[in-house]
Amino acid sequence: MRTTALAFTLPLFLFTDLASAADGCAPLKTTINADNRHVYQELVQSALTEKVKLATIDITEVLAEDKWLAVFASTEISDPGVFFFNDNKFIDVWGGMVEAKEKRTVTQWTHGLHVPGTLTQCFFKGIVIK
């Protein structure tokens, strides 16, 4: 999944609706502000094979569990995607939306990366077409 442009087929964030506190995802949501936005932009930039300016990397959501991060981002050279990092090391990126019936495929992919369970569930809720 690592490509030069990291181009994806669907506008991921038009449908993003991360869960509320009632379903367990709220504790994973990280507030994005002026103090930490550049950290997430730098992580995404380090994952790209084609470098872009930090200011052109849009971070829309960050989920964190243990040492894992799921960074929802888009750049000037790619459609939106979810970048996975473990201990700030790039692991892989997911691009595109899925239907609810594709949950097994998504969870198998994340389990293959060893993404923690709650982060997997919240990531799925963020990419499923409502």
Side-chain angles (χ1 to χ4, degrees):
M1 290 193 142
R2 298 173 200 197
T3 62
T4 300
L6 290 174
F8 308 110
T9 58
L10 294 173
L12 185 64
F13 302 112
L14 294 178
F15 300 99
T16 300
D17 181 23
L18 290 176
S20 66
D23 65 21
C25 292
L28 273 62
K29 287 183 75 171
T30 300
T31 301
I32 303 167
N33 56 42
D35 294 331
N36 63 13
R37 180 177 307 278
H38 73 281
V39 171
Y40 302 123
Q41 289 171 319
E42 288 174 356
L43 284 171
V44 170
Q45 184 185 54
S46 72
L48 300 172
T49 55
E50 185 176 330
K51 298 305 174 200
V52 298
K53 294 179 182 176
L54 287 180
T56 66
I57 299 172
D58 184 35
I59 307 297
T60 57
E61 195 77 51
V62 176
L63 300 174
E65 184 176 3
D66 298 323
K67 293 183 178 187
W68 281 87
L69 293 173
V71 180
F72 292 68
S74 61
T75 74
E76 63 188 352
I77 61 169
S78 69
D79 289 335
V82 183
F83 294 77
F84 285 88
F85 299 90
N86 183 3
D87 202 17
N88 293 328
K89 179 183 173 227
F90 175 66
I91 303 300
D92 213 335
V93 62
W94 178 277
M97 301 293 296
V98 297
E99 295 181 12
K101 65 183 179 185
E102 297 176 274
K103 184 173 186 175
R104 183 173 181 213
T105 301
V106 173
T107 55
Q108 285 178 336
W109 180 78
T110 56
H111 289 293
L113 300 176
H114 307 288
V115 176
T118 304
L119 182 57
T120 291
Q121 297 306 312
C122 296
F123 156 67
F124 178 76
K125 289 176 184 180
I127 64 166
V128 70
I129 297 170
K130 307 289 186 246

